[in-house]
């Protein structure tokens, strides 16, 4: 399971993407964000923070990471 949370520069959660992916071994899947809020409203250009949490459905182990992204329209 992959859980991506995108926050604006004020720390508010603006969008969340959850995907259930099945794979064996290491795998890279593309997950895209269309620049909208959870309500479907287009967001303006800016710097956002995102958190990615990955949880294994096989053994329950998990990992997470944070990073910045620059969204330019």
């Amino acid at each position: 399971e992959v859980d991506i949370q995108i926050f604006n520069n004020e720390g508010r959660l603006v969008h969340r993407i959850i995907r259930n992916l099945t794979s064996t071994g290491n795998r890279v899947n593309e997950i895209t964000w269309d620049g909208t809020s959870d309500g479907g409203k287009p967001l303006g250009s800016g710097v956002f923070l995102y958190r990615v949490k990955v949880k294994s459905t096989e053994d329950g182990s998990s990992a997470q990471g944070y990073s910045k992204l620059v969204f330019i329209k």
Side-chain angles (χ1 to χ4, degrees), residues 44-55:
S45 298
V47 178
F48 294 83
L49 176 70
Y50 68 92
R51 175 172 56 192
V52 177
K53 295 194 291 187
V54 180
K55 182 177 179 182

Side-chain angles (χ1 to χ4, degrees), residues 21-51:
L21 304 173
T22 56
S23 69
T24 57
N26 294 330
R27 183 173 173 180
V28 176
N29 288 73
E30 183 176 291
I31 298 175
T32 59
W33 171 50
D34 62 2
T36 61
S37 68
D38 275 338
K41 179 182 175 186
L43 298 172
S45 298
V47 178
F48 294 83
L49 176 70
Y50 68 92
R51 175 172 56 192

Side-chain angles (χ1 to χ4, degrees), residues 1 8 20 26 33 47 68:
E1 178 179 282
N8 66 13
N20 289 312
N26 294 330
W33 171 50
V47 178
K68 291 180 188 178

